Amino acid sequence: MTTQTTSAAADTTAPTTAPAVEIQGLSKEFAGHLAVHPLDLEIRENEFFSILGPSGCGKTTLMRMITGFETPSSGRVRLGGVDVTDVPTRNRDLNMLFQSYALFPHLTVFENVAFELRVRRVAKAEANRRTTEALELVKLGHLGDRKPDQLSGGQRQRVALARAVVSGPKVVLLDEPLGALDQQLRKEMQYELKRMQREVGITFIYVTHDQEEALTMSDRIAVMSEGVVQQVAGPEDIYNRPETRFVAGFIGSCNLLDVQAPAGAEGEEVAVEVPGVGALRGVLGETVPTPRAGTLLLRPERIEVRRAGEGDGVVGVAETLTFLGEEWHLHLRVGEHLLRASVSSLVKERDLPGLAAGDRLSLSWRPQDARIVVR
Amino acid sequence: MTATTRAIHLGRQEKPKRGSLLLLIPGIASVVLLGVLPLFIVARNSFAVADDYGGITDGLTFENYAKLLDPVYSKTLLFSLGLGLLNTVVCLVIGYLTSYYIVSRPTNRQGFLLLLVIIPFWTDFLVRTFAWITILGSGGPIAGILGIFGIAGFSVIPSNLAVVLGLLYSFLPTAIFPIYASMRSIDPSLKEAATDLGASWWGVHRRVILPLSSPGILGAALLTFIPTMGVFVIPVLLGGGKDPLVGNLIVTLYTEFRNQPMGAAVSMVLLVLMLASMALVGLALKRSSTKRATTKKTEA
Ligand SMILES: Nc1ncnc2c1ncn2[C@@H]1O[C@H](COP(=O)(O)OP(=O)(O)OP(=O)(O)O)[C@@H](O)[C@H]1O
Ligand SMILES: [Mg+2]
């Protein structure tokens, strides 16, 4: 006991609050197809936790197992330390925000938001007060009399949000809540959601397939692919230190080169041979006990481009140059590979005047910007 | 949304072309000839005086309606109302539960289940009613099974219980379809949302599914209540004709008693009852939609 306390105190990265949701070995099989492979997750209290992944990777299924709509094929779910795997949905202290909003069309906005308080038999005066508060929180106090079909998409979204938080649940799960909104409204609602989450102090589990949304809003992100959690980390780590080839390719744009990873410890600087390119420098993204096939991950913006002859890097030929305003995207032919690099407009004007397709360029990067992963 | 509104708008403004009016003639003619005209004749006859052979003579009298207050008739009317009500309630309850069961099955299974509900319609109504005599009668399977346990002489034919069972059997599909139709249009995530917000099975139904399927339920009530009173085969075959329904009364008055004006009067009562219940249902639907819009004002 004592040692545990000291070690916790010494470890500054340890979470200061108890986990809001703990998932152990949770999996789901549909008719012989494993939609969610057994996975472990720990979501901290008051955390904005995103689940990010392409369509069909099992995000919704994972959410539905946490809410209890779907019975897991294996594994346990704990809420605030209590095992709720066998507790019916209605007795779990969490609420879900549906992608389709799922507002009750026969009830007014006010009654929609008050629904849970009515069901749980909260005294009428108290229920009305809290409903009014929740509506004010989403700035819809004046629309309580309307029916859902008299609202705009954004307003419906807010009503659904107010309805989900009115009873003060520990956890709110949001399944692609902004999917149906236009770009402008999305941005607005992203900000609103974040503000509300901080204001109300509720754990948000947020499902999205929009990487930018996940990066800007989340405290931590779990990246999923084909029912497997690839990596759980903060936005910066996910972007800069992807642990798998999938994460690197899915988030942002990344050059992926097949290499033979040598044995070594995590973070060790190594040189790998890329056929037709030569020896490239990089660091091992994880400890590799024995040499095996791997991937070299290199973000386009981490590549420094100079006129050939000026540096000692890899030499490539510019094939296409695309102007995007603040930066230029280059496609560079290196041996049989086509590498992407991005150069800020300022750098291009200053260091690469008159750059044109067919020019020979030298490419270089810091070793720590080229990560070698084996998954 | 806007596109639809505009389409409707345009549709209204469009003048009907002469060709389309011509096309309507067969329809209008058949409605007038087969619907309006006979109805008009029946209405007229209900105020007529009968001659000694039951034929219609001219004249205008309210006597036919006054006679309906006679216990002979009023008893049948009340009994029909009661039985109609009972059958409607039972059909609605079972119809609601059945519809809910079908709707909660996977979509590809729903068609099959509905087919099961329809199949009996492919056999003649009379034949099916005779089948019930066999099932519920002294030589039927129920009597047979009870006989094994030493309970001899089972038969509920003829009895009012058999009539109730027969009516339930005949009208259940009529109740299931409208309820199923309105339930199917309810977004399944509404049920999940209600569960998520703490509602029990009963709460989900009372607060969400029931109100949202109320148009179908009211429609089913309408399709069950009045036709039940007009049924005449079932009370005769399964009930032994002891307690007639309005339908039997009409048949008897027209055929055995040869009292056409009385028969017409009873028919008119049935018609008025039907119109009244339709108006009531319409009113209920309108009320429920306006009430919902105003509930909050009183509470806030
Ligand atoms: N009820 C079900 N029966 C059978 N298979 C299912 C069922 N629900 C989901 N699946 C399958 O499980 C996999 C994961 O589905 P899920 O809905 O969780 O994906 P998702 O990540 O939420 O995708 P999206 O981003 O498109 O919403 C898919 O292959 C899907 O076809
Ligand atoms: Mg989904």
Side-chain angles (χ1 to χ4, degrees):
Chain A
M1 257 313 178
T2 339
T3 45
Q4 214 175 341
T5 326
T6 17
S7 74
D11 185 1
T12 47
T13 58
T16 46
T17 45
V21 180
E22 268 174 289
I23 290 167
Q24 281 173 352
L26 202 65
S27 76
K28 181 71 189 180
E29 190 182 317
F30 288 117
H33 162 72
L34 209 49
V36 174
H37 292 251
L39 63 86
D40 300 325
L41 272 185
E42 205 175 282
I43 296 155
R44 298 164 198 154
E45 209 161 286
N46 298 345
E47 190 170 30
F48 197 116
F49 189 91
S50 291
I51 299 170
L52 175 65
S55 186
C57 70
K59 308 182 293 289
T60 300
T61 309
L62 174 58
M63 291 283 254
R64 291 173 61 81
M65 287 193 285
I66 301 174
T67 54
F69 292 138
E70 212 79 69
T71 315
S73 304
S74 75
R76 313 302 295 173
V77 177
R78 278 189 196 78
L79 286 184
V82 182
D83 191 324
V84 296
T85 318
D86 303 314
V87 174
T89 301
R90 65 193 194 93
N91 295 333
R92 296 189 188 189
D93 193 8
L94 46 77
N95 281 336
M96 173 121 172
L97 199 78
F98 293 80
Q99 179 163 8
S100 61
Y101 313 132
L103 297 178
F104 303 119
H106 59 300
L107 299 178
T108 58
V109 164
F110 191 91
E111 283 307 310
N112 259 287
V113 176
F115 192 90
E116 179 159 18
L117 303 175
R118 303 262 188 263
V119 167
R120 304 209 187 273
R121 311 214 176 286
V122 174
K124 198 142 198 171
E126 162 82 359
N128 289 346
R129 187 184 60 73
R130 282 165 68 179
T131 305
T132 311
E133 260 176 36
L135 275 173
E136 240 126 62
L137 186 71
V138 295
K139 301 182 182 134
L140 283 182
H142 57 296
L143 293 181
D145 287 341
R146 294 252 191 113
K147 287 288 192 61
D149 60 6
Q150 298 167 319
L151 300 178
S152 72
Q155 288 168 336
R156 278 179 219 180
Q157 182 66 65
R158 285 159 201 259
V159 176
L161 193 59
R163 186 178 69 175
V165 300
V166 72
S167 64
K170 286 216 180 66
V171 179
V172 173
L173 300 103
L174 306 93
D175 191 355
E176 305 206 23
L178 309 183
L181 305 182
D182 62 47
Q183 199 55 39
Q184 176 74 27
L185 209 51
R186 259 181 105 96
K187 286 269 176 300
E188 229 170 87
M189 283 304 294
Q190 283 176 7
Y191 169 79
E192 278 292 285
L193 280 174
K194 194 73 193 156
R195 173 185 69 84
M196 279 205 41
Q197 191 253 344
R198 270 195 303 259
E199 225 166 273
V200 191
I202 295 179
T203 307
F204 269 28
I205 304 180
Y206 191 93
V207 163
T208 179
H209 60 241
D210 180 337
Q211 38 146 322
E212 192 187 321
E213 198 168 279
L215 289 175
T216 53
M217 296 172 79
S218 321
D219 296 320
R220 281 193 308 154
I221 303 168
V223 181
M224 268 182 98
S225 158
E226 289 175 11
V228 179
V229 170
Q230 301 274 334
Q231 185 173 0
V232 182
E236 240 192 298
D237 278 345
I238 287 277
Y239 187 84
N240 289 330
R241 282 171 283 282
E243 283 171 4
T244 71
R245 184 187 173 112
F246 175 82
V247 173
F250 187 66
I251 292 167
S253 136
C254 194
N255 292 300
L256 310 170
L257 296 171
D258 292 324
V259 296
Q260 191 67 24
E266 185 183 339
E268 196 179 315
E269 202 177 315
V270 293
V272 288
E273 190 64 35
V274 178
V277 177
L280 299 182
R281 288 189 305 150
V283 295
L284 287 175
E286 65 185 287
T287 303
V288 182
T290 51
R292 65 185 68 182
T295 313
L296 183 115
L297 316 172
L298 185 56
R299 297 268 182 217
E301 72 272 18
R302 297 282 171 169
I303 299 179
E304 200 174 336
V305 181
R306 290 198 213 105
R307 293 281 182 193
E310 292 171 28
D312 56 353
V314 180
V315 173
V317 177
E319 281 206 349
T320 60
L321 296 90
T322 316
F323 179 54
L324 279 110
E326 58 201 35
E327 61 183 18
W328 283 79
H329 283 186
L330 314 180
H331 277 104
L332 303 159
R333 168 72 55 193
V334 183
E336 63 199 36
H337 295 273
L338 205 55
L339 291 187
R340 278 164 299 163
S342 60
V343 178
S344 83
S345 294
L346 172 69
V347 170
K348 174 167 178 293
E349 250 170 55
R350 196 183 56 200
D351 303 340
L352 300 162
L355 184 66
D359 288 0
R360 280 168 55 81
L361 297 164
S362 113
L363 319 175
S364 59
W365 54 84
R366 300 181 304 169
Q368 66 263 40
D369 287 333
R371 292 168 64 79
I372 295 147
V373 297
V374 293
R375 280 185 291 154
Chain B
M1 200 53 137
T2 18
T4 337
T5 341
R6 198 192 296 140
I8 292 168
H9 202 67
L10 282 175
R12 254 193 218 138
Q13 284 185 331
E14 231 168 59
K15 286 200 188 90
K17 294 187 192 82
R18 192 162 300 162
S20 60
L21 273 180
L22 265 172
L23 285 175
L24 274 177
I25 286 177
I28 293 173
S30 50
V31 167
V32 170
L33 280 174
L34 303 173
V36 179
L37 206 63
L39 188 66
F40 184 78
I41 293 171
V42 172
R44 163 71 191 98
N45 286 354
S46 70
F47 295 103
V49 180
D51 64 17
D52 292 343
Y53 301 100
I56 301 291
T57 60
D58 281 343
L60 187 71
T61 172
F62 288 94
E63 209 179 304
N64 298 318
Y65 288 96
K67 271 197 227 149
L68 286 178
L69 295 176
D70 186 294
V72 180
Y73 298 119
S74 59
K75 200 183 125 225
T76 300
L77 275 175
L78 281 177
F79 179 72
S80 302
L81 278 174
L83 203 60
L85 220 57
L86 177 72
N87 187 42
T88 306
V89 170
V90 178
C91 277
L92 289 186
V93 172
I94 299 180
Y96 180 91
L97 294 174
T98 312
S99 302
Y100 185 69
Y101 173 80
I102 298 176
V103 166
S104 12
R105 292 309 100 191
T107 333
N108 52 358
R109 292 286 302 283
Q110 292 184 14
F112 173 71
L113 291 169
L114 285 173
L115 192 69
L116 289 184
V117 177
I118 303 172
I119 281 176
F121 277 108
W122 295 347
T123 312
D124 183 66
F125 177 67
L126 213 55
V127 174
R128 283 181 285 140
T129 310
F130 274 113
W132 275 101
I133 298 181
T134 312
I135 293 169
L136 297 172
S138 52
I142 301 179
I145 291 168
L146 288 177
I148 296 171
F149 296 102
I151 305 164
F154 168 88
S155 173
V156 287
I157 304 280
S159 73
N160 281 339
L161 175 66
V163 174
V164 169
L165 286 175
L167 286 174
L168 175 62
Y169 166 77
S170 320
F171 285 99
L172 200 51
T174 320
I176 288 175
F177 279 100
I179 301 179
Y180 168 79
S182 59
M183 264 188 195
R184 203 184 46 173
S185 61
I186 301 174
D187 177 1
S189 65
L190 292 184
K191 184 198 148 197
E192 289 189 339
T195 313
D196 185 40
L197 294 167
S200 59
W201 185 92
W202 171 239
V204 170
H205 281 270
R206 186 170 70 85
R207 291 172 190 273
V208 181
I209 313 280
L210 199 65
L212 286 177
S213 52
S214 63
I217 295 172
L218 288 171
L222 212 57
L223 289 175
T224 313
F225 180 57
I226 299 298
T228 298
M229 291 195 287
V231 159
F232 61 92
V233 172
I234 292 174
V236 172
L237 292 182
L238 299 179
K242 278 193 316 243
D243 294 304
L245 294 181
V246 177
N248 301 103
L249 189 59
I250 296 171
V251 172
T252 313
L253 283 169
Y254 266 102
T255 57
E256 283 174 39
F257 294 178
R258 306 197 118 273
N259 190 345
Q260 287 198 40
M262 269 311 286
V266 178
S267 303
M268 289 314 286
V269 168
L270 202 58
L271 186 73
V272 168
L273 271 174
M274 177 154 71
L275 291 176
S277 43
M278 275 170 82
L280 240 119
V281 166
L283 213 67
L285 279 176
K286 220 170 131 193
R287 273 269 304 279
S288 67
S289 58
T290 46
K291 196 185 81 198
R292 280 178 214 130
T294 52
T295 30
K296 192 247 141 184
K297 278 192 193 108
T298 48
E299 280 161 0

